[in-house]
Amino acid sequence: MWNILTSRKLALWALLGLLLPLTLSAFLPSELTLPEREWAELSRQSPFYFGIASRLATPYLVKTPFFAAVSLLLFLSTCACTVQRVLWGLRGTSPDFSRDRSFSFSREVPFPLSPEEGGGRITRLLASTGWRHERRDAADALVLSGVKGRSGFWGSIVFHVGLLGCFLAGPATYLTALTGELVLTEGVALPLKEGVSLARGKGATLPEARASLHDLRGVYYKGRFKSDFGGVMKISDARGEHELRFEVNRPVEYQGLQFSLHQFGFAPRLVIERSGAAPFDFYLNLRHPREGDFFEVGGGVRALVIFFPDFIREGGKIGTKTEEPLNPVTMVRLYRGETEIGKGLVKPGESAQLGGYRVTVPDYRHWATLVVTRDAGVPFTVFGFVVCVAGLLIRFASNERLVEFELRRQGEESLLTVKGYSRYYPAFLEKEVDALAEKLIEDGVT
Amino acid sequence: MTFWEEIFLWCAVAGYAGAFVFFLVGTVFRKEAWAGRGVYATVAGFCGHTLAVIFRWQATGHAPVMHTYENSLIGVWFLVLIYLGLKRSFPPSRMFGVVVTPFALLILGNGVMVGAELQPLEPAFKSNWLFIHVLFAWFCFGSYLLAFADGIMYLVKARAPGGGGRLPDLKLLEELSLRLILLGFLSHAVMLGSGAIWAHSLWGKYWNWDPVETWALISWLVYGVNLHLRFTLGWSGNRGAWLAVISLFSIIFLFFGFGHGSSVHTEMFSK
């Protein structure tokens, strides 16, 4: 089992086993790549293709047992190979260049010194240029060898340790992640346990606290381009009230939870009164600024509400000139069933009579959606990537190589054979071996 | 696009186009002097390009890292910078210009076609991680593209009758290819890591299996397989060159968005 897991070919096959399905899945459409309407249309128009896409497109493939099994195999293989290499490294095992696939280069030159004198000179040269060297006497020659670039080997190990960290992030996230949304109208406080709608995780783990948003701001450049969005989040718990500033990219951190600003919009307060009935009176968080949002107002009546921050009318068309609330107007359309019973435009602080209803917009506020998350996989990811990059840097800067000098007696002088072995960088090896040989000959002559 | 940015951008385009013609003539007809002119034209284009980047930066008030045009502008700038740096360290690599310059033109052309409207930095882009993410993204792309050019040169030289004329030595090409892929792989890792951290602060999730993320991972794995084949199975020579050439397609899918659709990378904080 150990031999199988430490086989480099297994690691390669497992890597391919992950890569090929992932690549094919990336060509399939998913809910992430198609708008909601097109995704629904695909299910109607091409049920077979939709069936494949909805099971094998990347976001779904990565949740299959197959993907988990291949990832586990790759993790185990990486783990075993890393442990094996660490053991090799600790034992001081040198690479066997004669067995491993490697580049080699040799050069034969006459050397003007005897093997004994030459041996001393080579030893000094190797020591002075940072080679870890050793000497052995063969039957007909004196052999001196030097090894350099061992740190590259450790760099590779460090890189794979980082990869293992990244691998562990997946299960850590899967087992611990909490994801949800908190939609809040400015100035309205909600208990977290009630307000956060969870997509994943247990609500019981949410803290006993109330949250509200204040001073929400949405700044646009030239009235069109988003520039600055943020506000203040107030959280009240047993320890008191905490005031936490947030903006896009600067989330709120509270008791291990992260609140990231995700959506932002206007919330006009709409009051609809009719004699004999309790008024409909709410701040409406409008999620679809272009199409409008429907609200049930009671008595079988629905209201379509659109907020124009900078109202403009051109001919028969109405719309907004900019995204900034320079001339805010709320459009309200009332329907009974599918029949429109009244429509009108209402400015803040004004009222209108629509289809027998008195419709008032006293004021408006902002609303925001905060994505609420807690994820134990994050530290693994950060650790993994930092270690991976450190390992690659070491690996990139260093290349393990071996140089051998064989000195054979030829009368008073010697025949010097310089051999270099390296698994990478052939041109560099050749240059280095040439330089060593030339330096030796130069020193030998002088 | 501002007036001066446009002027200098077209100077850059003219420089790269001229460089491509010079390199092509130099390669096909083995005219050393023409290849030299190609380098001068590339440097001239790069100077114009640098000025275009400066004027863009000044006009928008932020580094040009947002949306397709700005990414193309800064990405090609990095690509040419890496090429010129490589050419300085390894002079024989100057012939890579015959592959680099057309890619530079294609990427810039694509950026200009999409639109070059001046915009302030969107809230989602206001993160220091963005600069690390984008910088290393283009370093990785530049390195892989040069490794691709290297692979092409290797294959041409290995097959050319008479040893490929003035093309760099095969061993040097082999070594450069590995170094470039390692540099790209390292930059790619930084890009993925910084992107994950940025995504976590922006969306609350470090990984969404968004199409751009998926392709970034796929291409990293492709180059991981590439390095494994070289390191553990000893693939070199023609096979190594083919690996460098074929692997680039994963990067093209990543940067030019095959099947990206409504990726969160294109939507950001848009709702």
Side-chain angles (χ1 to χ4, degrees):
Chain A
M1 187 66 178
W2 179 252
N3 286 342
I4 294 172
L5 280 177
T6 53
S7 152
R8 290 172 183 186
K9 281 189 180 166
L10 176 79
L12 196 55
W13 280 114
L15 195 54
L16 286 170
L18 204 67
L19 179 60
L20 291 177
L22 204 55
T23 308
L24 293 174
S25 77
F27 287 94
L28 293 170
S30 74
E31 283 163 293
L32 287 180
T33 58
L34 287 184
E36 204 176 327
R37 204 175 40 193
E38 285 181 36
W39 181 244
E41 211 166 289
L42 183 72
S43 72
R44 282 194 303 275
Q45 288 180 348
S46 319
F48 180 70
Y49 183 50
F50 177 80
I52 293 173
S54 62
R55 285 175 183 82
L56 297 177
T58 314
Y60 320 114
L61 175 82
V62 295
K63 291 176 186 160
T64 58
F66 164 78
F67 196 83
V70 179
S71 302
L72 179 67
L73 182 64
L74 189 59
F75 172 77
L76 292 174
S77 164
T78 309
C79 214
C81 288
T82 306
V83 169
Q84 186 193 45
R85 282 166 168 232
V86 168
L87 293 175
W88 282 353
L90 293 176
R91 282 185 207 133
T93 312
S94 295
D96 185 353
F97 285 106
S98 61
R99 197 192 61 194
D100 289 351
R101 287 166 192 269
S102 59
F103 295 108
S104 62
F105 175 73
S106 75
R107 203 175 174 200
E108 211 170 64
V109 285
F111 194 55
L113 295 175
S114 67
E116 292 73 27
E117 286 174 299
R121 204 170 284 262
I122 290 166
T123 306
R124 282 195 295 281
L125 176 69
L126 289 175
S128 66
T129 46
W131 294 81
R132 211 153 38 86
H133 55 92
E134 60 181 44
R135 174 186 172 136
R136 67 190 151 83
D137 291 303
D140 56 344
L142 172 64
V143 181
L144 292 117
S145 62
V147 177
K148 216 178 190 179
R150 190 69 171 154
S151 54
F153 168 80
W154 289 105
S156 172
I157 290 174
V158 171
F159 167 69
H160 285 91
V161 169
L163 272 189
L164 293 174
C166 293
F167 267 117
L168 289 174
T173 295
Y174 182 76
L175 294 172
T176 65
L178 177 141
T179 313
E181 264 192 0
L182 175 64
V183 185
L184 286 173
T185 308
E186 195 172 5
V188 177
L190 275 180
L192 287 180
K193 280 189 191 286
E194 286 174 30
V196 177
S197 62
L198 287 174
R200 186 175 182 176
K202 289 177 184 162
T205 61
L206 289 167
E208 293 287 350
R210 290 174 73 81
S212 60
L213 302 180
H214 304 269
D215 303 330
L216 289 179
R217 64 178 189 280
V219 181
Y220 291 84
Y221 173 75
K222 288 186 179 172
R224 277 195 300 148
F225 302 111
K226 292 183 182 72
S227 168
D228 179 23
F229 287 76
V232 176
M233 187 176 194
K234 288 185 181 169
I235 300 182
S236 309
D237 59 17
R239 290 178 299 160
E241 190 172 77
H242 313 271
E243 207 171 282
L244 305 157
R245 296 199 165 274
F246 68 90
E247 55 190 71
V248 179
N249 253 322
R250 286 202 171 76
V252 164
E253 302 282 347
Y254 171 72
Q255 292 200 5
L257 290 171
Q258 179 176 303
F259 298 81
S260 315
L261 180 57
H262 181 55
Q263 289 174 313
F264 191 94
F266 290 101
R269 182 178 164 199
L270 192 70
V271 182
I272 302 178
E273 298 164 280
R274 192 180 174 185
S275 55
F280 173 92
D281 183 358
F282 293 101
Y283 282 100
L284 304 176
N285 299 334
L286 302 181
R287 310 283 293 257
H288 303 93
R290 302 272 173 266
E291 304 90 344
D293 294 81
F294 277 100
F295 299 90
E296 293 290 338
V297 298
V301 175
R302 291 183 304 154
L304 171 70
V305 184
I306 303 179
F307 185 81
F308 300 105
D310 189 8
F311 182 75
I312 186 174
R313 187 195 296 267
E314 278 181 358
K317 289 184 177 176
I318 56 171
T320 188
K321 198 173 163 189
T322 68
E323 298 300 325
E324 290 180 334
L326 302 172
N327 180 27
V329 169
T330 306
M331 187 181 84
V332 182
R333 284 183 165 187
L334 298 177
Y335 293 88
R336 179 168 283 119
E338 295 302 314
T339 314
E340 186 179 281
I341 56 170
K343 68 173 178 181
L345 298 164
V346 189
K347 286 192 168 191
E350 292 183 357
S351 298
Q353 202 68 30
L354 306 177
Y357 290 84
R358 182 176 174 74
V359 177
T360 311
V361 179
D363 63 348
Y364 68 91
R365 293 180 180 179
H366 288 106
W367 63 271
T369 302
L370 299 156
V371 172
V372 186
T373 51
R374 182 165 55 207
D375 188 347
V378 177
F380 286 99
T381 313
V382 175
F383 164 83
F385 273 112
V386 169
V387 174
C388 268
V389 169
L392 281 171
L393 271 173
I394 300 168
R395 182 72 199 79
F396 183 67
S398 181
N399 170 38
E400 194 165 27
R401 55 210 187 273
L402 169 77
V403 63
E404 267 184 4
F405 298 85
E406 270 183 24
L407 286 161
R408 289 170 205 282
R409 184 176 292 280
Q410 279 195 334
E412 289 299 301
E413 299 184 345
S414 321
L415 180 67
L416 173 65
T417 309
V418 190
K419 292 178 187 167
Y421 300 90
S422 165
R423 287 174 61 203
Y424 331 110
Y425 306 146
F428 181 78
L429 174 75
E430 194 169 320
K431 218 184 285 177
E432 194 169 31
V433 169
D434 269 342
L436 278 171
E438 273 162 27
K439 175 90 175 116
L440 271 175
I441 293 163
E442 223 171 76
D443 289 354
V445 173
T446 54
Chain B
M1 206 186 294
T2 64
F3 174 77
W4 287 110
E5 178 196 351
E6 193 166 0
I7 294 288
F8 287 115
L9 182 67
W10 286 112
C11 289
V13 168
Y16 297 148
F20 173 57
V21 173
F22 289 137
F23 283 125
L24 196 64
V25 172
T27 308
V28 174
F29 299 106
R30 298 185 187 178
K31 304 264 189 198
E32 185 72 3
W34 282 72
R37 280 174 207 144
V39 174
Y40 287 128
T42 309
V43 172
F46 184 69
C47 292
H49 196 158
T50 307
L51 288 168
V53 169
I54 290 169
F55 278 105
R56 178 80 186 182
W57 194 323
Q58 192 192 31
T60 59
H62 61 80
V65 290
M66 207 169 67
H67 305 316
T68 306
Y69 167 72
E70 290 190 354
N71 267 311
S72 306
L73 186 72
I74 200 75
V76 172
W77 188 85
F78 271 112
L79 172 64
V80 179
L81 178 74
I82 296 170
Y83 163 68
L84 292 174
L86 186 74
K87 189 244 145 210
R88 192 173 164 80
S89 306
F90 300 94
S93 65
R94 76 173 173 184
M95 296 309 287
F96 290 6
V98 75
V99 179
V100 170
T101 47
F103 265 93
L105 289 169
L106 280 173
I107 298 168
L108 275 179
N110 179 55
V112 172
M113 296 275 283
V114 171
E117 196 175 12
L118 295 167
Q119 287 183 31
L121 199 62
E122 285 179 11
F125 292 89
K126 288 177 183 166
S127 165
N128 292 334
W129 290 107
L130 164 76
F131 297 103
I132 299 172
H133 182 67
V134 172
L135 175 78
F136 282 92
W138 285 108
F139 254 118
C140 113
F141 178 71
S143 306
Y144 290 153
L145 184 64
L146 284 164
F148 167 85
D150 182 293
I152 299 270
M153 295 282 158
Y154 189 100
L155 294 170
V156 169
K157 174 130 181 138
R159 281 165 175 69
R166 297 188 185 280
L167 293 176
D169 176 60
L170 286 179
K171 280 185 178 169
L172 179 71
L173 287 172
E174 175 109 48
E175 180 174 323
L176 275 182
S177 173
L178 183 59
R179 281 176 190 262
L180 286 165
I181 288 173
L182 263 174
L183 181 64
F185 193 68
L186 171 66
S187 306
H188 204 146
V190 179
M191 175 189 85
L192 283 174
S194 55
I197 295 169
W198 180 28
H200 180 248
S201 67
L202 182 60
W203 299 309
K205 279 182 175 178
Y206 61 88
W207 198 265
N208 289 295
W209 291 110
D210 164 77
V212 178
E213 288 173 348
T214 304
W215 275 110
L217 180 66
I218 288 172
S219 50
W220 198 54
L221 292 177
V222 164
Y223 279 94
V225 169
N226 187 322
L227 289 172
H228 256 279
L229 287 170
R230 286 165 186 264
F231 288 168
T232 60
L233 299 187
W235 280 33
S236 58
N238 276 342
R239 287 197 294 188
W242 275 114
L243 277 178
V245 170
I246 292 167
S247 303
L248 190 81
F249 287 97
S250 63
I251 291 292
I252 291 172
F253 282 139
L254 164 63
F255 281 89
F256 299 101
F258 182 88
H260 286 183
S262 58
S263 153
V264 287
H265 273 75
T266 58
E267 287 188 8
M268 291 294 181
F269 178 75
S270 61
K271 290 171 182 167

